[in-house]
Amino acid sequence: MEEAICPVSDSKERFSARVDTYKAYRPSYPDPLVNLFYDPDQIGLKDHHKVADVGSGTGISSALLLSRGSFVCGVEPNAEMRKGLHYILQNTINH
């Protein structure tokens, strides 16, 4: 059997050894994008809505949603990324 030239990696482990680099260099999302979630003519979230952030990584989008008053449930399968998520969000009310 031939060996794959570009082996498929386990996607939930892809960033395990690079969490600090990811946190340091992964840019946030621009305000106009976040505003679309709360625009009544677009998605129309309200500040009290419950939101699931699936694949939440280190919590970049979770933090933005929390700052707008949403209740956020972050779902992150990578244990190392989840530690980064907990570190960033440890002082929030509903992490």
Side-chain angles (χ1 to χ4, degrees):
M1 188 153 95
E2 275 186 49
E3 188 174 322
I5 294 172
C6 185
V8 176
S9 65
D10 182 352
S11 61
K12 72 177 187 277
E13 300 301 324
R14 184 174 302 145
F15 293 103
S16 291
R18 300 179 275 221
V19 174
D20 289 336
T21 302
Y22 185 93
K23 288 190 307 187
Y25 297 104
R26 172 68 170 84
S28 187
Y29 298 100
D31 287 336
L33 176 65
V34 179
N35 291 340
L36 286 175
F37 287 100
Y38 295 89
D39 183 336
D41 294 326
Q42 299 296 323
I43 297 172
L45 285 176
K46 304 273 189 231
D47 60 3
H48 62 279
H49 280 165
K50 295 176 183 173
V51 179
D53 184 5
V54 179
S56 55
T58 58
I60 294 169
S61 58
S62 292
L64 293 170
L65 295 167
L66 285 164
S67 74
R68 296 292 292 263
S70 293
F71 294 91
V72 179
C73 177
V75 179
E76 176 52 55
N78 180 301
E80 294 303 313
M81 293 291 273
R82 203 167 43 249
K83 287 178 189 174
L85 171 68
H86 286 289
Y87 178 77
I88 286 174
L89 302 178
Q90 66 187 343
N91 294 319
T92 62
I93 295 170
N94 65 351
H95 72 284

